[in-house]
Amino acid sequence: MQNKKKTFYSLVFVGIIYTTMFLHLFVINSPKVVANNPINIGEDHIKLIKQGYTEDFDREISLSDFLTYSIEPFVLDFDKDQSFEIFIVSNRYNETEGNKLFLLKDSSIMPNWPIQLEVDIEDIVCQESYNDEQIVIVRAKNKNSANQTFFYGINKNGEVISSFTKVVEETFSGDTLFGDVDEDGQNEFIIHNKNQVFIYENDFTLKENWPKETNETIFSEIVVDDVNLDGRKDILALTEQGLIFVWDWNGTLLRNFPKKIDILYYKSGEGFRVMPVVTDSNNDGIVEIFASSTFGYLYCLELSEGKTSTYYQKLPNAIYSLNQATASDINKDGLLDIIQPFSDGFSIFNFDGILEVKAKVEGSYSFTGAPVLADINQDNILELIFVSDYRLLVFNYTGFEIQNYEKTIPYAYNNGISPIVFDSDSDSEIEIVYLNNYGKIKIFETNDFGLFPWLFKYSSPLHSVNNDYDGDGLLDREEKVVGSDLLNFDSDSDTVCDGDEVNQYVMNPVIVDLSLDTDEDNLTNIEEVDIYLTNPLNPDSDFDSLTDGEEVLIHFTNPLSADSDEDGLPDSFEVEYTFLDPNNDDDSKLDYDEDGLSNLEEYLYGTDPSNPDTDSDSLLDGDEIYRYFTNPIVSDADADYDGDGLTNVEEVDIYHTDPSSTDSDGDGFSDGEEVEKGSDPNNSQSIPKTSKISFALFSALISLFSIVFLFTLTKRLKI
């Protein structure tokens, strides 16, 4: 009996559960639809697409991080295709990786590269032609041949030319300089060891009367320049103790040499370990030498006979200065400026009878490598580019910081490599390229026109100063690359100086091309640069789908602005519709077709400002947006976007319901069902009666079924 009662109560409980489930299903979970507007107003409409031009972005290239990188990259046009490649050296011996030489072009490693050499690469020397093919010459040493130096020739396919390999029975330090020092039409190799300077002919035979000995240690790089201003190149070596040796190309020591820099703390071990700057800085016909010491002083000595005075300036916070200086007339005042980094900043000096500080920058810097000079902002004035810790910094000639690329070059301070500025991707715009110690190459876009303002570290392949003899804005070494005349500021006699043609106009300084229209936009190159400031290489400088010529000559709009009158309507849109004026900002607020949308709104929504019903569905564009919530560019007058059985137009015009909500009054019944069954879809107290009766009847039947079922079960169980 007890078990029967338990069974009975269980059945009653089950019956209650089923009844509750039915009630929950039909009452609590009656259909409700969340409001949803399928139209993304203002999105995905007219977009301006840049055509025929690739936007520049900073980028990074990663080489093997199992290697170290501490040799300055070398830039050259290896395959003679008018675009530049970059050589990168890595050095580390271990079980899996050896010395590797990478060749990159347009940010990609060339096929067959990198190549691996079982030697320590010390220097990339030059590019030469050998047996009718271009080769790059590298200097290396073999760990098993301590007293030998190897010179290898490598072609563009990464093949070592065995017939070229040269072995010299000496060991060297510093850079291998390469140039025609005796002006015989053949380049020579200039190199030094601890106390000797060597000149080798092109075939690696020693030049007559060389080497020359200094009897003192040479730590700094050799400089090749015209020291006595006789029009011929001389070779200068500065010893650690401050002795200056100068020979002419045939090995004769110049009169009045060696000269000595009177350093302040000679007995305490002060000396020189970085390459000096040698130049006539003040144009007085006397060449000076500038050199920073290990005790943090910048020294200056005039190199003419009878001049013995040493000038000096203390470098702030510099205890052991090993940063390379450079020289150029960065403020265009006719005097060369000496830019000398120190431990946490840099100073800019002039010498005109006295050594004077013109500008000084101090701060939380830790500069590494030499400063790089290049015009990167198209003002035709050189900027100063430094690497400091994790940052690349750009200063103007007053010492004002104009750019700071923070946290962009990890471990930059480890290798002492300077940045290189050149056109690395063949887009006629220059980039700043920096290699860190772990094989990360950072490429910073300048968006400045130009070809290659900086191809060689420090100054030139012959370690000469940044001279611009003809004052045309191109350094002498740059003129040699582009083929312009070093002595003529306007090589092609087209009234534009060579520097402006290369760095500003993006034109050829040896061809008269001012009147040409390179980008075929009906504006000449000279008009684009001098008058309109547009890009002579891009027919649509502001990317508004109107060419620069159309804007200037036809529509009289600003070719540097996609919206000349700044009314929110692009010039191209206003030009398309003749009733709009791209030079009048008032017309964006008007409603030309009287459809309830302003001309600006028509542009934003993608509708036709001259047609009140863009999609021809009998609804005004403005009504579709603000009244019916339909799409004005799709014929959808009969659309039912909320899925309640009523079209948007019916809901708004007839039933006054919300076309974006299935259940406008929130009573659990859809608007369409209420309209169909006679209740008010805008009154939550008004619900379909047929549904209520049906529900009551259904509930009664369920209850009756439950009673009958329980009664029958009780009888059968005889409870």
Side-chain angles (χ1 to χ4, degrees):
M1 186 68 180
Q2 188 71 22
N3 289 335
K4 289 182 178 180
K5 286 184 177 181
K6 289 183 178 179
T7 303
F8 173 75
Y9 291 134
S10 298
L11 291 172
V12 171
F13 178 74
V14 171
I16 294 171
I17 292 296
Y18 271 101
T19 301
T20 303
M21 289 175 62
F22 276 113
L23 291 175
H24 179 77
L25 179 63
F26 283 95
V27 178
I28 300 175
N29 274 352
S30 59
K32 292 182 180 178
V33 178
V34 179
N36 178 36
N37 184 358
I39 306 173
N40 295 319
I41 302 298
E43 295 182 4
D44 299 322
H45 287 296
I46 296 176
K47 294 183 178 179
L48 300 177
I49 301 174
K50 298 179 180 179
Q51 297 179 346
Y53 187 85
T54 301
E55 182 70 15
D56 289 331
F57 297 100
D58 296 345
R59 53 201 183 277
E60 181 177 293
I61 305 169
S62 295
L63 305 178
S64 172
D65 56 5
F66 292 102
L67 302 166
T68 57
Y69 303 81
S70 57
I71 294 177
E72 197 88 18
F74 194 83
V75 178
L76 73 172
D77 181 8
F78 196 26
D79 52 10
K80 298 296 183 181
D81 65 349
Q82 306 304 309
S83 63
F84 288 89
E85 294 79 45
I86 180 170
F87 279 95
I88 295 176
V89 174
S90 64
N91 277 301
R92 179 181 286 178
Y93 271 105
N94 56 36
E95 294 180 358
T96 59
E97 301 267 10
N99 290 261
K100 288 190 175 181
L101 184 62
F102 295 82
L103 178 59
L104 279 72
K105 186 183 186 71
D106 292 340
S107 305
S108 299
I109 299 175
M110 294 284 285
N112 303 322
W113 297 80
I115 63 172
Q116 186 164 336
L117 300 174
E118 298 303 321
V119 290
D120 281 323
I121 301 174
E122 297 181 302
D123 191 15
I124 300 177
V125 179
C126 63
Q127 177 183 3
E128 272 285 81
S129 179
Y130 180 75
N131 288 345
D132 297 325
E133 68 174 332
Q134 292 296 312
I135 63 171
V136 64
I137 301 174
V138 301
R139 191 186 89 211
K141 65 180 180 181
N142 191 317
K143 61 182 179 180
N144 298 319
S145 304
N147 296 320
Q148 291 181 321
T149 296
F150 297 82
F151 291 88
Y152 294 96
I154 303 170
N155 66 17
K156 64 180 181 181
N157 297 320
E159 301 166 334
V160 176
I161 309 301
S162 58
S163 61
F164 179 86
T165 301
K166 308 295 181 183
V167 181
V168 176
E169 301 296 328
E170 293 285 351
T171 56
F172 303 107
S173 58
D175 297 325
T176 306
L177 307 184
F178 185 69
D180 187 4
V181 293
D182 56 6
E183 300 181 0
D184 65 350
Q186 295 291 324
N187 290 323
E188 290 81 38
F189 299 87
I190 305 97
I191 194 168
H192 73 95
N193 60 21
K194 287 187 176 181
N195 62 353
Q196 290 177 300
V197 179
F198 299 78
I199 298 182
Y200 290 92
E201 299 284 6
N202 198 265
D203 60 358
F204 288 95
T205 58
L206 263 174
K207 192 171 185 60
E208 187 179 0
N209 300 325
W210 294 86
K212 295 300 177 181
E213 192 165 332
T214 63
N215 298 319
E216 289 188 359
T217 303
I218 306 172
F219 279 109
S220 67
E221 300 288 359
I222 302 300
V223 175
V224 178
D225 211 330
D226 184 4
V227 174
N228 58 359
L229 301 180
D230 65 351
R232 305 292 295 273
K233 293 183 177 67
D234 305 303
I235 296 89
L236 181 146
L238 173 65
T239 70
E240 184 184 25
Q241 293 76 26
L243 280 179
I244 304 166
F245 291 83
V246 182
W247 302 272
D248 63 19
W249 61 268
N250 63 10
T252 301
L253 188 67
L254 294 192
R255 182 177 174 180
N256 200 37
F257 287 94
K259 292 175 72 77
K260 177 132 180 32
I261 298 176
D262 291 328
I263 51 182
L264 298 176
Y265 300 98
Y266 176 80
K267 293 183 179 179
S268 300
E270 183 180 13
F272 300 95
R273 298 201 171 193
V274 294
M275 190 188 83
V277 172
V278 180
T279 183
D280 180 6
S281 63
N282 56 353
N283 300 313
D284 64 352
I286 300 173
V287 171
E288 297 88 32
I289 183 171
F290 301 87
S292 61
S293 75
T294 56
F295 279 26
Y297 283 85
L298 179 69
Y299 290 93
C300 170
L301 179 64
E302 295 175 287
L303 298 183
S304 68
E305 188 173 353
K307 298 285 187 177
T308 58
S309 298
T310 297
Y311 306 87
Y312 60 88
Q313 284 278 0
K314 184 75 174 75
L315 301 176
N317 304 320
I319 299 174
Y320 196 87
S321 175
L322 288 178
N323 287 331
Q324 175 62 45
T326 192
S328 185
D329 184 6
I330 57 177
N331 60 357
K332 294 194 172 182
D333 65 353
L335 301 176
L336 287 183
D337 305 285
I338 312 300
I339 302 101
Q340 174 63 62
F342 46 83
S343 58
D344 66 346
F346 66 92
S347 291
I348 300 175
F349 298 91
N350 273 157
F351 178 77
D352 196 7
I354 59 172
L355 186 61
E356 183 180 7
V357 179
K358 304 299 291 185
K360 180 171 62 177
V361 173
E362 293 182 85
S364 55
Y365 306 113
S366 181
F367 291 133
T368 176
V372 171
L373 309 180
D375 176 16
I376 64 169
N377 60 5
Q378 207 173 343
D379 62 356
N380 215 26
I381 297 176
L382 296 175
E383 283 76 47
L384 288 67
I385 305 169
F386 290 89
V387 172
S388 170
D389 295 336
Y390 302 94
R391 296 170 293 174
L392 188 81
L393 300 115
V394 182
F395 299 86
N396 67 12
Y397 65 87
T398 68
F400 179 76
E401 182 181 304
I402 59 177
Q403 187 63 269
N404 188 332
Y405 302 88
E406 293 190 67
K407 299 180 180 178
T408 52
I409 43 178
Y411 310 109
Y413 58 89
N414 284 342
N415 62 4
I417 290 179
S418 301
I420 303 175
V421 181
F422 71 108
D423 179 10
S424 66
D425 52 11
S426 306
D427 62 354
S428 296
E429 295 182 346
I430 57 176
E431 294 82 38
I432 305 172
V433 181
Y434 181 76
L435 168 71
N436 77 6
N437 198 39
Y438 292 88
K440 301 292 185 185
I441 303 171
K442 297 291 293 189
I443 301 176
F444 303 95
E445 290 287 349
T446 68
N447 295 306
D448 182 29
F449 306 143
L451 300 178
F452 26 79
W454 192 270
L455 292 185
F456 307 102
K457 58 183 173 179
Y458 304 150
S459 55
S460 79
L462 286 180
H463 281 178
S464 181
V465 76
N466 291 315
N467 280 326
D468 178 10
Y469 186 84
D470 54 11
D472 61 1
L474 280 184
L475 303 178
D476 291 349
R477 55 182 170 75
E478 294 177 328
E479 300 222 44
K480 292 178 182 178
V481 176
V482 301
S484 52
D485 189 342
L486 279 68
L487 306 180
N488 184 354
F489 72 94
D490 182 11
S491 298
D492 54 9
S493 301
D494 62 359
T495 74
V496 179
C497 70
D498 297 341
D500 285 346
E501 292 212 47
V502 171
N503 295 320
Q504 185 174 351
Y505 298 133
V506 202
M507 294 186 288
N508 192 328
V510 297
I511 297 176
V512 179
D513 51 1
L514 271 68
S515 59
L516 298 182
D517 179 10
T518 302
D519 57 7
E520 299 180 347
D521 60 1
N522 290 322
L523 297 177
T524 65
N525 295 338
I526 194 70
E527 287 175 330
E528 296 220 45
V529 178
D530 268 0
I531 301 175
Y532 306 111
L533 307 181
T534 48
N535 185 343
L537 300 180
N538 181 12
D540 181 11
S541 296
D542 57 7
F543 306 108
D544 62 358
S545 77
L546 299 175
T547 68
D548 298 338
E550 289 174 335
E551 297 215 48
V552 168
L553 304 174
I554 300 175
H555 307 300
F556 308 106
T557 50
N558 184 354
L560 298 176
S561 172
D563 180 10
S564 296
D565 54 11
E566 298 181 350
D567 61 356
L569 297 176
D571 293 343
S572 57
F573 185 82
E574 299 203 59
V575 166
E576 180 181 355
Y577 299 99
T578 56
F579 55 85
L580 296 174
D581 184 353
N583 294 303
N584 179 9
D585 61 356
D586 289 330
D587 56 7
S588 66
K589 309 178 187 68
L590 303 179
D591 180 5
Y592 179 80
D593 56 5
E594 298 180 347
D595 61 358
L597 293 179
S598 69
N599 294 326
L600 177 58
E601 289 174 313
E602 302 251 19
Y603 164 68
L604 294 174
Y605 293 125
T607 52
D608 184 346
S610 65
N611 184 355
D613 181 12
T614 300
D615 55 10
S616 301
D617 61 358
S618 76
L619 302 179
L620 294 176
D621 294 341
D623 286 345
E624 294 212 50
I625 294 293
Y626 295 116
R627 185 176 180 185
Y628 301 120
F629 295 94
T630 51
N631 192 329
I633 58 177
V634 176
S635 182
D636 54 359
D638 296 326
D640 176 14
Y641 280 133
D642 59 4
D644 61 0
L646 301 177
T647 68
N648 289 20
V649 174
E650 288 175 330
E651 295 211 50
V652 174
D653 287 349
I654 301 175
Y655 304 110
H656 309 296
T657 50
D658 183 353
S660 66
S661 173
T662 300
D663 181 11
S664 297
D665 58 7
D667 61 1
F669 298 94
S670 71
D671 297 340
E673 184 180 0
E674 294 212 52
V675 168
E676 180 185 359
K677 297 181 178 179
S679 59
D680 185 353
N682 292 304
N683 184 353
S684 61
Q685 301 302 314
S686 173
I687 58 177
K689 294 179 180 180
T690 55
S691 298
K692 198 71 174 179
I693 293 172
S694 298
F695 178 73
L697 179 61
F698 177 78
S699 299
L701 290 174
I702 290 295
S703 299
L704 180 61
F705 173 78
S706 299
I707 293 170
V708 171
F709 175 76
L710 292 174
F711 177 79
T712 304
L713 186 62
T714 302
K715 286 291 187 179
R716 293 176 69 94
L717 294 175
K718 297 179 181 181
I719 296 177

